[in-house]
Amino acid sequence: MRVRELLVTVGLGTAVVGVTIGVLPGISADDGWSVLAVAILVTALGAVIRPIMVRLLSALGWAGVVAGWLVCQALVVWAALLLAPGVHVTEFWAAFWAAWIGGALMSVGLWVVTAGQDGAVTQHLLRVNRRFRRQVPPSEVPGVLFLQIDGLSAPLARWAVDAGNLPTLGRWLSGGSHVMTEWHAQLPATTPASQAGLLHGASAQIPAFRWYEKDAGRLVVTNHPQDAALVESRCSDGQGLLADGGVSVSNVFSGDAPTSLLTMSTARRGNGPRRYVSSYLLDPFGLTRSLVLTVGEIVKELHQARRQRLRRVRPRMRRIWSYVLLRGVTNVLLRHLNLAVLAEQMMRGAPAVYCDFVDYDEIAHHAGPARPESLASLEGIDAALAILEEVAAAAPRPYRFVVLSDHGQSQGSTFRQRYGIRLEDLVARLTTTEDVVVPDEDEQAGRARNLRAGIGRTGKPEPEGTADRPELVVAASGNLALVYFPRRPGRVTLEEITESYPELLPGLTAHPGIGWVLVRSEREGPIVLGPDGRRWLDDDHVLGVDPLLGFGPHAADDLRRHDRLANTGDLVVNSLWDPVSQEVAAFEELIGCHGGLGGQQNRPVLIRPRDWPEPGPLVGADDVYRYLSGCLKKLTPPG
C-alpha cells in the first residue's frame, strides 16, 4: 500500500508539474524526464527545508506564519526548478505562481483519485507524525479522546444517526462499542458555562455567556482571552479533567491541562501553538487542501443562503460576509488544524485530550440547527471521527473515544424580527433612560480572536473596567438576558425596581416575546413573573398561570440555582417558548440559539464506551465532570 501510495503521489505530482509548466510563462522543460525530476525534487527538498522553516518562522509569530504561508512552498518549487536538469525558469515570481497553481491542482487531483474520501488525509497524518510515534514506548494503558461537538442536541444526534448522516457514530452505536445518553444542561446553556463544568466541575462561576460585575465595574465576555483567563482562575483547583498530563485543544478553558493549544483561557500566556499552526500552514498538503476546500465552503454558503431566500424559508437571517468567511475558517481550516494537532498528540501518547469542534454550532446559529447545511457540517465532523479512529489504531497506546456536546440549540425568529424592536430598546423605553450598554460581540468574533491569538502574539490588554457606570446594562446570551442597574450596589430587589421604574416589570411580563422574568424580592425571595401569573421559588407556590409551564421539568431548580450565582442579573429575562411551533425568540440576531430555557438547547448528548459504568441521571455539566473524572481514574492504574 505504501509503494502504491508513493507511485500515485509521484505520478500525480509529475502530471501537475507538467500542466503547471505548460500553462505558465517563464518556465519551460526539455522533456518529460525533467518534469519528473522537478516532482521528485519538490518532495525531497520539502522534507528537508520545511521543518527548518517551521522552527524559524514560528519564532516570529503571526508575521512569520503569514510570510511562510505565502512563500515557503514557492521557495521549495523555485529551488527544484533551478536544480532540475533541462528546466528553465526566468524569475522567482514564475515559481511563486507555479507553487500555488500546482498546489491547488494537486489537491483537486488527490480528491479525484481518492473519490473524495479521507484516506489520503489519514495517511498524511500518519506520515508526518511517524517520528513522534517512534519516540514513544508502547503502553497498554488506554488513553481517552474527548471530542465535543459544540451545540449538538441529543434528539438531533439520534435523528441524524438513524437517518444515516453520521455513519461513524452509527457504526459505534449499532456495533455495541458505545452508548448514547442525554444529559441536562443547566441554565445558562452556553459553551463557557458547560465547559467550566465539564472541564473543572465549576459551572456555577458563569451566569451567562456575557455578564456585568458590579464590584469591578466591568463587563465580562468569555470569548475575550483575558476574561476567559480570569474566569478559569476562579474555576481551577488543580483537579481539572485534564490535570494528569492531558491536552486541551480549541476550548474555552484548559481543564488544568499541562499542554493547552488554541485554548481561549491560555492564549495570553505567550506560549500559544504557533509551531503547530506554522507546521500545518507550511505543509503544502494541509495548506492547499484547506484553501481549496475553504473556497468551496464559501461558495457553498453563498448558494445555501440564496436557496433559503428563494424558497422563502422561515425563520432565516441575513448571513453577513464576516460570517461567510468565518464559516470557511471554522468548517475547514480550524477542523483540519484540530485534526493535525490531535493526530500528533495521539502519536505522542497523550493520556487524555479534549477538543471542541465548533463547525456545527457556528452554522446552526445562522442557518438553523436542523437545516441541510448544519447537518452537512455534522457529517464533516463524523468524517473527522473516522480519521481519528484510524490514526488511533497506529498510536502507541489504545484510545477510547468519548463524544459529547455542551448544549443543544433551539430555533426561532429573533425577538427583533418578530416585534421590530430589540430587548434593550424595550427596556430603555420602559425605564425612560438612554444610558444603556449592550455588549454585542458574538461567538464568531471570539473564535476568530482565539485562532488569531493562538497563531501570533497577543495584542494590547483589554480594559479592566470603567469608573463611568451606565444606568443600565442589558447582556443577552441567546434567548436569555441579564439586566443590571450598575449604579446600585448589590442585587436590586423587586421593591426597589417597582419604586424606581414602575413600568419596567409590568411592561416586560406583558410583552408577547417574554416568557418569564426572574427577580428577587427583599421579603419573599426569588419570584418568577409571567404574563398571567407568578411563582415563588422558595416554596413553589403559584398564583395564576405558572410562568414556567412548558419550560421543562428542571426549570424551577435551574432558576433557584441561577438566583444564587454570583453576578447574576438584577433581572433575568427569558424569551417566549412556543410549544406548538417549538420556537424561541433570541435576543441576539441568531436563528439557532442557546443560553436560556426552551426547546432542545438544554438537552446535550454524551456518547460513551459501553463498558463504562452507567452514569445515572446527569443534571448539569458538573455531574458529567464527576462521571468522566471517575472513569478516567479507573482507566489509569495506581502510580
Side-chain angles (χ1 to χ4, degrees):
M1 289 182 65
R2 290 180 178 177
V3 172
R4 184 173 61 187
E5 178 193 351
L6 178 63
L7 291 175
V8 168
T9 302
V10 172
L12 186 59
T14 303
V16 166
V17 171
V19 171
T20 304
I21 291 177
V23 300
L24 272 178
I27 308 176
S28 60
D30 293 344
D31 51 37
W33 294 108
S34 300
V35 174
L36 175 62
V38 173
I40 295 173
L41 281 170
V42 166
T43 303
L45 289 172
V48 175
I49 295 174
R50 196 168 295 109
I52 300 173
M53 295 289 288
V54 166
R55 291 186 176 275
L56 291 175
L57 296 172
S58 295
L60 301 178
W62 173 263
V65 171
V66 172
W69 179 58
L70 288 172
V71 303
C72 182
Q73 183 64 8
L75 291 172
V76 170
V77 171
W78 192 30
L81 291 171
L82 292 175
L83 292 174
V87 176
H88 314 282
V89 57
T90 58
E91 58 177 357
F92 169 75
W93 288 109
F96 177 85
W97 293 115
W100 282 92
I101 293 173
L105 291 174
M106 190 73 177
S107 295
V108 173
L110 282 172
W111 187 89
V112 172
V113 168
T114 61
Q117 299 302 308
D118 289 316
V121 179
T122 304
Q123 294 304 316
H124 176 74
L125 291 173
L126 293 174
R127 183 169 60 253
V128 298
N129 289 298
R130 61 180 179 269
R131 66 184 186 280
F132 302 120
R133 174 65 182 84
R134 289 195 293 261
Q135 296 168 2
V136 179
S139 170
E140 294 302 317
V141 178
V144 180
L145 209 59
F146 298 99
L147 301 172
Q148 178 179 308
I149 304 179
D150 206 296
L152 177 62
S153 69
L156 184 61
R158 171 53 63 188
W159 180 89
V161 167
D162 291 344
N165 292 52
L166 305 177
T168 305
L169 285 177
R171 175 165 48 81
W172 294 356
L173 292 169
S174 64
S177 66
H178 286 72
V179 177
M180 182 184 294
T181 302
E182 179 178 325
W183 61 279
H184 173 68
Q186 294 169 308
L187 193 72
T190 67
T191 300
S194 288
Q195 281 208 343
L198 294 169
L199 292 170
H200 293 279
S203 61
Q205 295 293 335
I206 300 179
F209 182 78
R210 47 180 75 82
W211 66 90
Y212 187 84
E213 299 194 347
K214 291 187 178 183
D215 291 343
R218 70 184 296 245
L219 285 161
V220 175
V221 184
T222 44
N223 65 7
H224 291 190
Q226 178 173 298
D227 288 347
L230 170 68
V231 174
E232 179 162 324
S233 70
R234 300 170 180 173
C235 296
S236 174
D237 60 0
Q239 302 297 316
L241 184 68
L242 305 175
D244 191 13
V247 181
S248 169
V249 181
S250 292
N251 298 308
V252 178
F253 304 116
S254 72
D256 293 322
T259 303
S260 186
L261 311 172
L262 290 172
T263 295
M264 189 76 67
S265 62
T266 61
R268 297 186 63 86
R269 293 180 185 173
N271 60 348
R274 287 184 290 275
R275 182 185 65 79
Y276 294 90
V277 179
S278 305
S279 179
Y280 176 75
L281 291 180
L282 299 182
D283 184 332
F285 181 89
L287 170 63
T288 56
R289 180 172 181 269
S290 291
L291 285 178
V292 170
L293 293 179
T294 296
V295 171
E297 192 71 19
I298 290 172
V299 172
K300 185 165 61 175
E301 160 59 26
L302 296 174
H303 164 70
Q304 290 168 340
R306 181 174 180 272
R307 183 177 61 183
Q308 276 198 352
R309 292 194 302 272
L310 293 177
R311 293 181 175 181
R312 301 179 182 179
V313 172
R314 294 286 190 274
R316 70 170 188 269
M317 63 178 290
R318 179 172 171 265
R319 285 138 78 160
I320 59 177
W321 268 103
S322 60
Y323 161 68
V324 174
L325 296 175
L326 189 77
R327 171 173 167 176
V329 171
T330 58
N331 225 34
V332 177
L333 178 61
L334 187 56
R335 184 197 295 170
H336 292 176
L337 180 57
N338 284 341
L339 280 175
V341 174
L342 290 171
E344 178 175 329
Q345 294 305 318
M346 283 193 288
M347 289 304 172
R348 289 176 177 271
V353 187
Y354 193 112
C355 178
D356 184 8
F357 286 89
V358 301
D359 336 10
Y360 167 76
D361 187 66
E362 191 63 55
I363 295 176
H365 275 313
H366 295 80
R371 299 283 167 74
E373 49 266 56
S374 304
L375 297 176
S377 71
L378 283 180
E379 294 180 20
I381 297 174
D382 187 85
L385 297 182
I387 293 172
L388 293 171
E389 183 182 28
E390 294 175 349
V391 172
R397 68 192 311 162
Y399 275 95
R400 315 301 300 276
F401 283 77
V402 176
V403 179
L404 72 166
S405 59
D406 47 348
H407 53 75
Q409 283 206 24
S410 300
Q411 183 172 285
S413 298
T414 69
F415 190 86
R416 185 178 185 179
Q417 286 176 340
R418 292 169 185 263
Y419 307 109
I421 187 174
R422 299 173 301 178
L423 177 66
E424 54 267 28
D425 297 329
L426 175 63
V427 172
R429 188 177 69 191
L430 294 172
T431 56
T432 65
T433 181
E434 296 181 358
D435 189 10
V436 181
V437 169
V438 183
D440 59 355
E441 191 172 80
D442 58 13
E443 280 186 277
Q444 66 172 294
R447 286 163 180 165
R449 181 189 293 106
N450 189 28
L451 183 60
R452 193 166 60 246
I455 293 175
R457 306 196 185 280
T458 56
K460 298 178 180 178
E462 291 133 7
E464 288 291 342
T466 175
D468 244 2
R469 296 181 181 235
E471 187 171 348
L472 278 170
V473 171
V474 180
S477 302
N479 73 318
L480 183 79
L482 305 184
V483 179
Y484 299 87
F485 303 92
R487 297 175 186 172
R488 298 170 179 259
R491 182 84 176 271
V492 182
T493 64
L494 180 150
E495 292 80 8
E496 292 176 283
I497 295 171
T498 300
E499 180 180 352
S500 301
Y501 308 100
E503 296 183 8
L504 178 58
L505 291 174
L508 286 176
T509 55
H511 195 282
I514 304 297
W516 49 258
V517 178
L518 171 65
V519 62
R520 173 170 280 276
S521 167
E522 185 177 4
R523 297 185 298 271
E524 300 174 291
I527 303 175
V528 186
L529 309 177
D532 301 306
R534 57 179 57 190
R535 178 171 180 161
W536 284 260
L537 292 178
D538 280 348
D539 60 6
D540 269 338
H541 83 271
V542 176
L543 178 65
V545 179
D546 185 358
L548 297 182
L549 189 65
F551 282 94
H554 300 283
D557 288 337
D558 279 3
L559 287 182
R560 272 188 283 269
R561 172 183 176 272
H562 203 274
D563 178 71
R564 297 190 296 267
L565 299 184
N567 302 306
T568 190
D570 296 321
L571 296 178
V572 181
V573 183
N574 199 91
S575 84
L576 67 87
W577 157 245
D578 186 337
V580 177
S581 66
Q582 301 282 298
E583 288 191 347
V584 297
F587 300 127
E588 300 177 276
E589 292 307 301
L590 299 173
I591 296 302
C593 73
H594 53 88
L597 296 181
Q600 296 183 7
Q601 60 186 310
N602 306 101
R603 303 177 63 184
V605 68
L606 170 65
I607 299 174
R608 58 179 174 83
R610 180 179 287 275
D611 58 358
W612 284 18
E614 180 68 34
L618 296 171
V619 179
D622 294 8
D623 271 4
V624 183
Y625 161 79
R626 286 185 283 270
Y627 171 73
L628 296 177
S629 295
C631 293
L632 275 181
K633 290 176 182 176
K634 291 178 181 178
L635 286 176
T636 307

